[in-house]
Amino acid sequence: MKPLTDAEALSVVKESITRIIPDADFTLVEADDKFRDVLELDSLDFLSLVELLSERTGIRIDEEDYPELTTLSDTARFLVDRSTEPKDRTSPAT
């Protein structure tokens, strides 16, 4: 997988949210807003979003990563950062 740009990552995030909530109004979401609250994603919606993001980007997203997925910009940044990391980031040091 090639590294994502900020714009590509944000687009993937918004498109994925729209698959879960077709009428999501992103004009209501400010840069630092917690999009789960503003767009009223419940826990199952959020898990669906995590799964979609992982499928669409090939990036593994673990439960411990969830706190980094609070705002649209944080989520996009997370995807960009992970898309540029070496694949063996979780391998133990030898």
Side-chain angles (χ1 to χ4, degrees), residues 11-63:
S11 179
V12 168
V13 172
K14 287 182 175 181
E15 289 170 9
S16 298
I17 290 172
T18 303
R19 284 181 151 183
I20 297 162
I21 302 175
D23 59 347
D25 185 357
F26 293 103
T27 62
L28 300 175
V29 185
E30 298 293 326
D32 294 326
D33 284 348
K34 294 180 180 179
F35 67 85
R36 286 179 67 180
D37 296 339
V38 176
L39 299 176
E40 299 179 358
L41 270 77
D42 62 24
S43 297
L44 292 176
D45 291 336
F46 181 72
L47 291 176
S48 295
L49 173 62
V50 168
E51 185 176 311
L52 267 175
L53 291 174
S54 187
E55 286 174 8
R56 295 186 69 197
T57 63
I59 295 170
R60 181 178 171 156
I61 304 172
D62 297 315
E63 189 172 344

Side-chain angles (χ1 to χ4, degrees), residues 1 4 50-51 53-62 65 78-84 87 89:
M1 184 190 115
L4 294 169
V50 168
E51 185 176 311
L53 291 174
S54 187
E55 286 174 8
R56 295 186 69 197
T57 63
I59 295 170
R60 181 178 171 156
I61 304 172
D62 297 315
D65 300 320
F78 171 85
L79 294 175
V80 169
D81 290 349
R82 285 291 172 91
S83 72
T84 60
K87 291 287 184 201
R89 73 170 182 84

